[in-house]
Amino acid sequence: MTDTITIDRPADRVALITLTRPKALNALNLQVMREITAATAELDRDPDIGAIVITGSERAFAAGADIKEMAPQTFSDVYAADWFAGWDALSRVRTPLIAAVAGYALGGGCELAMMCDLLIAADTAKFGQPEITLGVIPGMGGSQRLTRAIGKAKAMDLCLTGRTIDAHEAERAGLVSRVVPAAALLEEATGVATKIASMSRPAARMVKEAVNRAFESSLTEGLLFERRLFHSTFATHDQKEGMAAFTEKRPPTFRHA
Ligand code: CO8
């Protein structure tokens, strides 16, 4: 039972999580965090799911952490509860995550999108880290993931001035992988998710693990990690099937194992 999100299966092997707090522009309160992390953890255990799309509404992916919930908190409150640490659970999801962003993705909304592996933006999307305008700073990874995604110059610009960028600037900066007309956003995201979910499940998970390792390791360590994962794909049925299918000039039938 969820109040702040809905969970659907729009296509074979694909799950869609939609934020449903439109009146608050999908502001991320603690309940949203609990529901998204619980839903993604459960979907991650489902062998019939190969990709998860997270989306909001036409007007807002999410306009940030819930300012009304945060406003009365003291340092002792947020420190004791380790406010926002619960979102780390999303980083432990091994299934590829796709953010389909229309409208505002501000503060925690931009940070939630960046916790996903791939960002697809509608031409209406607006990204920003406006926390500084509230007298705080990003608290769900903005200063770290945005810097890794778009570099120091633009990350400083966004985090220090609080300005927002549109979908095209976000694409040029490397934050999003594709921009599509708003009306086509879900179709595009579901199509990408279906494509990913049709690949060998262990291979897709290893790609995710290897690319993410690039942010955590030296080049030598990362290359070694990638090579060892590559070697281990030869233990899967899907490697045998994928290469046999190529040789026999037919599409592969992956067992996802
Ligand atoms: N939190 C709570 N409610 C929100 C939020 C939010 N982040 N954003 C919008 N809402 C609510 C509004 O209060 C309003 O509710 P109501 O109708 O009850 O007044 C409703 O959504 C609609 O919003 P607006 O009337 O403001 O709509 P507009 O179209 O005029 O403006 C904006 C849209 C520009 C998106 C505007 O709502 C806005 O600026 N929102 C706040 C954006 C923001 O600053 N986000 C960052 C939040 S801070 C954060 O994410 C991380 C903080 C890390 C702190 C670390 C602490 C430990």
Side-chain angles (χ1 to χ4, degrees):
M1 179 66 190
T2 51
D3 290 332
T4 66
I5 58 171
T6 57
I7 305 162
D8 298 288
R9 303 267 174 121
D12 191 32
R13 302 184 53 75
V14 172
L16 172 68
I17 296 177
T18 308
L19 281 82
T20 55
R21 297 189 72 211
K23 284 191 189 129
L25 301 185
N26 289 327
L28 305 168
N29 61 17
L30 293 178
Q31 190 183 353
V32 180
M33 178 184 82
R34 285 188 202 106
E35 292 187 356
I36 289 188
T37 52
T40 48
E42 194 180 325
L43 292 165
D44 200 35
R45 287 190 292 271
D46 185 340
D48 293 328
I49 293 294
I52 302 169
V53 179
I54 301 180
T55 198
S57 65
E58 264 176 44
R59 200 168 156 218
F61 177 74
D66 192 318
I67 297 167
K68 290 166 191 167
E69 185 181 60
M70 274 186 297
Q73 306 292 329
T74 65
F75 166 77
S76 298
D77 297 333
V78 295
Y79 183 74
D82 204 3
W83 202 269
F84 297 146
W87 283 107
D88 291 348
L90 211 57
S91 308
R92 293 192 288 276
V93 172
R94 298 168 73 200
T95 309
L97 296 172
I98 298 164
V101 178
Y104 297 111
L106 302 179
C110 186
E111 292 166 307
L112 171 60
M114 290 191 293
M115 283 179 219
C116 296
D117 303 301
L118 221 144
L119 272 82
I120 299 178
D123 49 9
T124 57
K126 286 190 175 63
F127 298 88
Q129 297 291 158
E131 289 88 344
I132 195 159
T133 67
L134 301 168
V136 293
I137 72 165
M140 283 165 54
S143 65
Q144 305 303 302
R145 290 198 178 93
L146 190 66
T147 307
R148 282 167 169 76
I150 68 175
K152 176 176 170 178
K154 263 200 191 296
M156 282 288 189
D157 182 352
L158 266 61
C159 293
L160 281 172
T161 68
R163 86 172 170 98
T164 60
I165 57 174
D166 66 18
H168 296 291
E169 186 172 354
E171 188 186 28
R172 285 196 302 277
L175 181 61
V176 312
S177 66
R178 317 178 180 198
V179 180
V180 296
L185 178 66
L186 271 191
E187 195 187 333
E188 180 79 10
T190 307
V192 172
T194 302
K195 181 86 179 166
I196 293 170
S198 74
M199 304 297 177
S200 163
R201 177 175 153 98
R205 290 179 161 215
M206 286 184 203
V207 165
K208 168 168 174 160
E209 219 177 347
V211 174
N212 282 332
R213 186 56 71 102
F215 296 107
E216 306 283 354
S217 62
S218 67
L219 181 60
T220 305
E221 285 301 317
L223 289 171
L224 178 61
F225 183 78
E226 178 196 76
R227 198 159 65 245
R228 294 290 177 250
L229 281 183
F230 168 75
H231 294 159
S232 69
T233 60
F234 286 73
T236 65
H237 162 273
D238 290 346
Q239 175 269 331
K240 303 284 173 268
E241 167 60 12
M243 293 192 177
F246 176 81
T247 312
E248 292 159 19
K249 302 190 188 301
R250 61 171 175 82
T253 307
F254 289 130
R255 235 190 254 163
H256 305 296

